[in-house]
Amino acid sequence: MMIRRLCFLSLLAFGLGQHCVAATDLAPTPPMGWNSWDSYGLTVTEAEFKANASWLHQHLQPLGWQYVVVDEGWYLRQPGQKGAAQGFVMDSTGRYLVADNRFSSAANGAGFKPLADWTHSLGLKFGLHIIRGIPREAVEKNLAIAGSAFHAADAANTGDTCRWNSDNYGLKANAAAQAYYDSILKLYAGWGLDYIKVDCISRPYQADEIHMMSAAIAKSGRAIVLSLSPGPTPIEQADDVRKYAQLWRISDDMWDTWSGPEGQTFPAGLMRQFNRTAQWAPHIVTGHWPDADMLPLGYLGPRPGWGEARASRLTADESRTLMTLWSMARSPLVAGSNLTKMDAATEALYSNPEVIAVDQHSRENHELSRSGSVVVWSATPESGGGRYVAIFNLGDAAQEVNYSWEKLGLPGGSHAVRDLWVRKDLGTATSLKAELPAHAAMLYRVH
C-alpha cells in the first residue's frame, strides 16, 4: 500500500515552513483512551473531564492509554433542554465555541486551549467530537466564513441533515464548504487538538465531507487524528476510508447488550460485532483501524448517552469476550466507563499488558474458523514468536472444545501454551482443550 503523507504548515525558527508526516505516523497503533459519551452523554463538565483524565493518567497511561475526548455537546449551555433553549455558543463566523458555564477555563474566548494545555501537561492527548456540517443558525444568518470571501449559505446543503441531530446542515462539495472546514480546523488546532471524532459521516458514507475534513486537517498546522463515526462504514469504501482517516466505525453504537434488539441496528450488541470485525479484518493496515466502538464496561453514569445510569449489563464473561475480540481485531480501545467509579474487575480488563499487546502489536489478525456457536481467531505477535489464539463461545450453554494444532494452523506435536487473561503458563500440550461458559472467551499465546 502506498504511504500517504500529510504536510502541515508550521512556524519554524526562521519563518513559515512545512513539515510532513506519514499518515501511518498519526496513529501507528490503535488509539487507546477515554471518551465522555457513555457515562456523561451531552453533559460532561470540565471538572468531570479532569477527574476522569487524572484517573487515566495515574492508572492506565503507563500501559499506553493516552487520548481523552470530550464528546458531543460541548457548545451547549443547557444540554438537557430542547432546541434553542439548549443555548448554542457560536462565534460571528458560524463556528461553535465552548460553553464556558460548563468549562470554566474557556471563559473570555480561550476555548479549549487551557483544557488541552492541562491535558498535555499530563502527557495525554486531547480530543473533541463534532457533528459534520455547518450550524443551521449560521446558515439562517448567512454568516461570513472566516478566512474566505464565502458565506454560510454558499457552503450548506440545506436538504441534508443528520438523522439523529438536526443542529447542522451538511455541506456541498465546493470551495465554500472546504473553507468552512478549514476555518474550524484552524480554530481547533489553535486550541491544541490532537484527535477529532466526526459524527454522522460514515452511514451513509459522506465521501466529499471526509475528503474535505482530511484536507482541512492537513492545512491546520497540527497533526490531528481523524476518527469517523458511526457506522457501519460500507465495506466497499475500505480503500477510500483508510486513505483519509485513521479510524472509522464499523457498526452503529455498541452498548452493554449481548445481542441487541431484533431487526434493529441500534444498539449494535456484542454478538453482532463478530461478523463486522471478521469482515473488516483483511482491511487492517498500520495507521488505519476499523473501530468496533467504545467499551461500555464498568459504571455508565451519572448521565449516560443512552439509558439510565447503571453498572454495565454485560456479564464478567461477556466483558472479557468484548476485550478479547477488540484486541484480536486490533480495534481502538476507548473506555466509556466513568473512571472515577472504577471497580477492580473493570480495571483488570483495561490493565492487562499481555492482552493490550495483542491489540497494539500483532499482525495477520483474522477469524480462523466458525463452527456452530464457537468462533476462533488467530494472529501473529509482532515479536517473540508464537501465535495468538482466541476461542469464543457465542452460545447460551457451556462448550467443550479440543483443537489439534494443525486445525489452528500450527505444526503438530507439542506446544507451550500461555493463558493471557490469567497471565499463567499452562505447560506444553499436544492439542488445545478448553471449557468455555456461555458467552465466554479464552485467549492464548502458543509457542
Side-chain angles (χ1 to χ4, degrees), residues 269 277 398 422:
T277 50
V422 299

Side-chain angles (χ1 to χ4, degrees), residues 74-406:
W74 45 269
Y75 43 82
L76 302 175
R77 291 193 179 279
Q78 303 295 334
Q81 305 301 311
K82 298 292 184 183
Q86 296 180 96
F88 293 87
V89 185
M90 186 185 306
D91 72 7
S92 61
T93 63
R95 300 181 295 188
Y96 288 125
L97 299 178
V98 185
D100 58 13
N101 63 318
R102 294 166 49 207
F103 297 89
S104 59
S105 68
N108 301 314
F112 271 129
K113 188 174 191 313
L115 188 57
D117 287 348
W118 175 86
T119 300
H120 296 151
S121 75
L122 300 181
L124 298 171
K125 295 186 177 182
F126 183 72
L128 200 58
H129 167 288
I130 65 168
I131 297 285
R132 70 175 175 91
I134 188 168
R136 293 167 70 110
E137 182 181 343
V139 179
E140 290 159 5
K141 295 179 178 178
N142 200 22
L143 298 178
I145 295 173
S148 80
F150 300 110
H151 287 74
D154 301 323
N157 177 0
T158 56
D160 175 23
T161 58
C162 178
R163 284 173 296 163
W164 59 88
N165 184 323
S166 60
D167 298 340
N168 289 2
Y169 288 123
L171 293 177
K172 299 173 182 174
N174 65 16
Q178 183 67 66
Y180 181 73
Y181 273 159
D182 291 350
S183 76
I184 64 172
L185 264 295
K186 182 179 180 181
L187 177 67
Y188 302 156
W191 289 344
L193 193 68
D194 303 299
Y195 177 109
I196 187 166
K197 174 184 173 183
V198 184
D199 205 344
C200 201
I201 202 164
S202 288
R203 190 194 67 193
Y205 188 76
Q206 304 285 343
D208 291 333
E209 291 205 45
I210 291 167
H211 300 172
M212 289 190 291
M213 177 61 66
S214 178
I217 290 171
K219 299 174 188 177
S220 72
R222 188 169 179 87
I224 299 172
V225 169
L226 176 57
S227 167
L228 305 180
S229 177
T233 301
I235 192 71
E236 58 268 25
Q237 298 291 348
D239 288 342
D240 189 76
V241 72
R242 69 185 185 186
K243 287 179 185 175
Y244 294 97
Q246 284 67 57
L247 56 155
W248 57 91
R249 284 275 297 284
I250 63 172
S251 75
D252 213 321
D253 287 3
M254 226 296 296
W255 280 95
D256 51 330
T257 64
W258 174 250
S259 57
E262 191 66 33
Q264 299 180 35
T265 62
F266 176 90
L270 175 53
M271 190 167 69
R272 296 181 187 174
Q273 300 300 75
F274 281 84
N275 289 338
R276 298 275 187 208
T277 50
Q279 182 184 40
W280 277 98
H283 302 283
I284 298 169
V285 297
T286 299
H288 306 278
W289 311 107
D291 179 7
D293 201 12
M294 291 180 284
L295 310 172
L297 304 174
Y299 182 70
L300 306 175
R303 304 177 298 279
W306 179 65
E308 300 298 321
R310 62 195 180 274
S312 175
R313 292 171 293 201
L314 296 174
T315 67
D317 284 323
E318 290 166 352
S319 298
R320 183 177 284 191
T321 290
L322 186 157
M323 289 296 294
T324 303
L325 179 62
W326 267 232
S327 296
M328 288 297 285
R330 301 206 71 186
S331 174
L333 300 178
V334 180
S337 321
N338 183 334
L339 301 181
T340 71
K341 295 184 179 294
M342 181 60 66
D343 61 278
T346 304
E347 185 172 357
L349 291 171
Y350 289 157
S351 60
N352 185 316
E354 297 185 39
V355 176
I356 290 171
V358 179
D359 181 81
Q360 298 289 290
H361 303 294
S362 59
R363 53 186 172 83
E364 300 167 358
N365 309 65
H366 65 285
E367 183 184 290
L368 184 64
S369 68
R370 187 180 294 218
S371 177
S373 63
V374 179
V375 176
V376 180
W377 274 66
S378 176
T380 302
E382 287 181 353
S383 62
R387 187 78 57 82
Y388 291 129
V389 177
I391 306 174
F392 303 92
N393 176 15
L394 306 190
D396 296 331
Q399 290 269 4
E400 290 187 4
V401 297
N402 187 356
Y403 291 97
S404 68
W405 296 124
E406 290 89 347

